[in-house]
Amino acid sequence: MGASKFGLMALLTELGALQALLVIEHADQALLAYLAIHAPASGLLALAVYLLIPARQSRPRASVLALLFSCIFFVPLLGFVGVVIGALLRHLLPRLRAPQRFTAVRLPDLDTHESSEKSSAGFRQAGVRQFLKNERAPVPQRLRAMVALSHAPSRIGSPVLRELLGDAEDDLRLLAYGLLDGREKQLNASIHEARQRLAASGDVAERSTVAHQLAALYWELIYQGLVQGDLLDYAVGEALRHTETALQGLTDDPALHLQHGRLLQQLQRFDEADAAYRRARELGLPASRVVPYLAELAFARRDYARVKSLLASMQDWEGLSRLQPVLRFWGHA
């Protein structure tokens, strides 16, 4: 039964109570008759007003009902009229209404025809990982987001796609697997071609150049997260082997020494990795390219004082937005 029906019944019952008060001539009997009829009228009105109160303001139920009943019953007539007026004002005056809260918003449409640069920038702002992992989002829009993600750089897209291999939706899993498999096949084809050129190369300079390219391709497999487990160990070993071959002819290439250090650090050969980083720095590689890896190496060695010292030297550098949270943390450590 709705609040309006309870309110109408309360009004009719209260009118009956007033009629009894006026008709019965004996004062004591008239008062008793009025209270006997006024009590259920108060209960009905209290229940009607309670149904109009928002759920978040109507707890605890028994206390709210008791308060309403008391205001109506123990203040005859004025209490009844006052509660009715209050209930009407609550719903008739817009300024007294609580602000309406939205319960759902329409998800924005994703334009899959945007350029790769614009799409990847939008992902960074909107948080594509959270959107794709949101199982409540419509599947067609998640699929469109994945297609747009295929235009993003592999170092950004591949980790997200790998997380989706365990998604509950078959279409998303298959698409993620297809995109990752396509990237891996493309790199493996390039590796196969580079290996053939390396086998056919003659002098040291040519072998070093091809070995450098081959090491970079293996590093891409690692960096993009396209290999796991034993395949990861194999890719690291091959990348290190070809990097060392390339260093025989490209001894003064600072980027090659930096890559050498990262591979050695991956294998937990920390002393050799430290020497490779320092050599890259000596050959002119900017400190902003080397110091973060030296700090990571010091952290792996649990040399926290050196980590703090290295990161302190980066506080005034510009263009390190992605490292700012790390710099702030160690700056207050």
Side-chain angles (χ1 to χ4, degrees):
M1 187 177 295
S4 59
K5 293 183 179 180
F6 280 120
L8 181 59
M9 291 174 60
L11 179 60
L12 294 176
T13 306
E14 184 69 10
L15 290 175
L18 292 174
Q19 184 180 10
L21 185 64
L22 296 174
V23 171
I24 300 177
E25 297 181 354
H26 195 279
D28 293 338
Q29 294 180 355
L31 179 61
L32 289 176
Y34 170 78
L35 292 177
I37 304 174
H38 176 62
S42 300
L44 289 170
L45 182 60
L47 185 58
V49 174
Y50 178 84
L51 294 177
L52 298 177
I53 299 175
R56 61 180 180 277
Q57 299 175 0
S58 61
R59 297 290 186 273
R61 181 178 181 180
S63 299
V64 175
L65 284 171
L67 177 62
L68 291 171
F69 179 84
S70 299
C71 291
I72 301 168
F73 181 79
F74 293 106
V75 186
L77 190 58
L78 291 178
F80 191 100
V81 174
V83 170
V84 171
I85 293 175
L88 292 176
L89 289 176
R90 169 67 177 77
H91 286 273
L92 293 180
L93 296 182
R95 67 175 181 271
L96 296 180
R97 291 186 177 182
Q100 297 295 323
R101 298 180 180 274
F102 64 85
T103 56
V105 295
R106 181 177 178 273
L107 291 171
D109 294 327
L110 296 176
D111 185 4
T112 59
H113 302 291
E114 293 178 337
S115 64
S116 60
E117 181 180 356
K118 186 175 180 180
S119 297
S120 59
F123 289 149
R124 288 192 294 271
Q125 296 171 2
V128 67
R129 177 179 279 106
Q130 287 74 17
F131 177 76
L132 287 173
K133 293 179 67 177
N134 181 11
E135 296 184 357
R136 292 179 297 176
V139 174
Q141 292 193 12
R142 295 173 72 194
L143 288 171
R144 292 165 61 189
M146 287 184 64
V147 173
L149 184 63
S150 64
H151 298 294
S154 297
R155 57 187 171 83
I156 297 175
S158 294
V160 180
L161 293 174
R162 186 166 294 279
E163 291 180 4
L164 292 172
L165 292 178
D167 195 88
E169 290 292 335
D170 293 337
D171 291 341
L172 288 169
R173 288 201 310 271
L174 291 173
L175 182 56
Y177 176 80
L179 292 172
L180 288 171
D181 187 59
R183 293 176 178 180
E184 184 178 356
K185 286 181 178 178
Q186 185 178 2
L187 280 174
N188 284 332
S190 300
I191 288 173
H192 179 71
E193 181 183 351
R195 289 172 68 95
Q196 289 180 332
R197 286 191 285 112
L198 180 64
S201 60
D203 56 11
V204 175
E206 184 181 0
R207 285 184 59 84
S208 296
T209 301
V210 178
H212 189 187
Q213 297 172 357
L214 193 53
L217 290 170
Y218 274 112
W219 177 252
E220 280 299 311
L221 283 176
I222 301 165
Y223 189 63
Q224 295 183 25
L226 297 175
V227 287
Q228 304 289 327
D230 293 339
L231 288 177
L232 174 61
D233 296 337
Y234 173 79
V236 172
E238 288 296 292
L240 179 61
R241 181 168 68 88
H242 292 297
T243 298
E244 292 174 345
T245 300
L247 284 171
Q248 295 175 7
L250 302 172
T251 56
D252 296 332
D253 188 330
L256 193 57
H257 282 280
L258 178 66
Q259 181 175 302
H260 190 209
R262 296 180 71 181
L263 289 167
L264 290 169
Q265 184 176 344
Q266 182 81 14
L267 295 172
Q268 299 186 356
R269 293 160 60 175
F270 297 143
D271 292 337
E272 298 173 76
D274 185 72
Y277 291 145
R278 293 180 183 277
R279 180 57 179 163
R281 187 74 184 90
E282 292 171 359
L283 291 173
L285 202 65
S288 59
R289 294 278 307 278
V290 181
V291 171
Y293 296 114
L294 286 171
E296 185 180 353
L297 190 61
F299 184 82
R301 290 171 160 177
R302 299 187 178 183
D303 187 355
Y304 304 124
R306 178 160 174 74
V307 174
K308 187 173 182 178
S309 174
L310 288 167
L311 294 180
S313 66
M314 302 171 61
Q315 294 292 339
D316 298 330
W317 294 356
E318 298 181 356
L320 297 174
S321 57
R322 295 179 63 186
L323 289 177
Q324 287 305 317
V326 178
L327 297 179
R328 285 196 298 269
F329 175 83
W330 284 97
H332 296 87

